[in-house]
Amino acid sequence: MTKRAYKERFYPTSEQAVLLAQSFGCARFVWNNTLTYRTEAYQQHGERESIWA
């Protein structure tokens, strides 16, 4: 099986750029808070918190 990769370029309008920045900001906020929660839980209990519970 041959592996292939494609590169695509995206030129958002100014309105799309604002919406993308907001979306990525929200995703970063959720990721960082989840990481903090799991890190603190590990430090307090010595075991990993399940992401599925």
Side-chain angles (χ1 to χ4, degrees):
M1 184 165 120
T2 303
K3 294 184 179 181
R4 293 184 185 184
Y6 296 96
K7 284 188 176 184
E8 297 292 332
R9 187 70 193 228
F10 174 54
Y11 298 100
T13 64
S14 57
E15 181 182 342
Q16 290 172 330
V18 168
L19 292 174
L20 284 170
Q22 288 175 345
S23 296
F24 291 139
C26 290
R28 187 171 46 252
F29 177 80
V30 170
W31 173 264
N32 288 335
N33 281 345
T34 303
L35 183 60
T36 300
Y37 171 78
R38 294 188 69 189
T39 301
E40 289 174 357
Y42 181 79
Q43 290 173 350
Q44 290 176 3
H45 305 292
E47 58 187 33
R48 290 177 42 197
E49 290 284 326
S50 173
I51 61 172
W52 306 113

